[in-house]
Amino acid sequence: VVNPEYASKNNYASIWHAKEYLGNSYILPTDQYYERNPFRKYVFEPYCAAVESPQGTTVRALICDDKNYIVGFDMKPGCFMRGPAYFDRRFSKSFLEIIDKEKDLPETFQKWWHVIFLEHAKELRMRMIKWDNSDVFEFDRMQDLVQFDSDFLINVDSKILDNICSTLDCARSDISD
């Protein structure tokens, strides 16, 4: 499913555009790589993976009750959502109803789906499952990929990179920042 509104409405619009496919569904960010299999054989309730923030980093830290259900967030060091999430049918239906009400509000534009979820965490029931930081890697920039895999630029099949190298008369290894 292509989200034609991604540039203006971020990934909550991706959830909205995929609504007919949501039920018992995994949500996997495309800018992340998993060292372990993100799929579980048996899943009985909605959950999200979370990792500890790097030391001294302020994040949307998850606030959980005594059974690890997410009830809110606070901007501080702590565990934050990174990695896969799982929606069951009931969660998908309820979350889509919230997105439907908020998707065209200017204050919602540019929010990630998980921020909308966190703002409604008390209405939506989702458990946090803690992952180790070494289980999931996020790549926001090309340099993140190159740092993770030093041969990435050399091995990736990319007409865009070929065009850059041809136009600038450079090798892929010369590309940075």
Side-chain angles (χ1 to χ4, degrees):
V1 174
V2 174
N3 172 9
E5 299 179 294
Y6 183 79
S8 62
K9 294 188 178 178
N10 213 320
N11 70 6
Y12 76 88
S14 299
I15 300 282
W16 180 253
H17 285 284
K19 65 185 173 203
E20 68 184 78
Y21 300 101
L22 287 183
N24 295 330
S25 306
Y26 281 95
I27 308 301
L28 300 162
T30 58
D31 63 348
Q32 295 180 359
Y33 172 77
Y34 307 110
E35 281 287 317
R36 69 180 197 183
N37 183 350
F39 304 107
R40 300 171 133 214
K41 189 171 183 174
Y42 301 105
V43 183
F44 302 104
E45 62 185 343
Y47 75 87
C48 70
V51 298
E52 282 285 335
S53 61
Q55 191 164 356
T57 304
T58 299
V59 294
R60 286 183 185 91
L62 302 177
I63 300 170
C64 297
D65 66 14
D66 60 344
K67 294 186 176 161
N68 254 14
Y69 286 103
I70 301 164
V71 295
F73 72 98
D74 195 4
M75 296 303 292
K76 63 180 185 177
C79 286
F80 67 100
M81 292 172 78
R82 175 169 287 166
Y86 176 79
F87 296 0
D88 66 8
R89 282 182 176 83
R90 187 173 70 204
F91 182 95
S92 293
K93 182 179 183 298
S94 297
F95 193 44
L96 286 169
E97 288 171 0
I98 289 168
I99 291 175
D100 189 32
K101 290 176 188 167
E102 297 186 11
K103 66 183 170 46
D104 295 320
L105 301 174
E107 61 269 23
T108 302
F109 294 1
Q110 295 305 308
K111 285 185 182 177
W112 294 300
W113 76 261
H114 74 271
V115 172
I116 296 172
F117 157 71
L118 289 171
E119 292 172 347
H120 296 274
K122 290 180 180 172
E123 303 163 51
L124 300 163
R125 191 166 166 89
M126 179 179 277
R127 190 182 296 265
M128 178 190 78
I129 297 177
K130 193 169 179 185
W131 277 31
D132 189 272
N133 282 330
S134 63
D135 288 336
V136 59
F137 298 90
E138 187 169 79
F139 306 114
D140 293 325
R141 302 179 325 265
M142 181 78 72
Q143 286 307 113
D144 296 337
L145 280 167
V146 172
Q147 186 176 12
F148 178 77
D149 177 0
S150 59
D151 294 330
F152 174 79
L153 283 175
I154 295 164
N155 293 323
V156 69
D157 184 22
S158 170
K159 291 179 184 178
I160 294 170
L161 289 175
D162 292 342
N163 185 39
I164 290 170
C165 291
S166 174
T167 302
L168 299 177
D169 192 29
C170 67
R172 285 185 177 200
S173 58
D174 295 329
I175 299 172
S176 66
D177 298 327

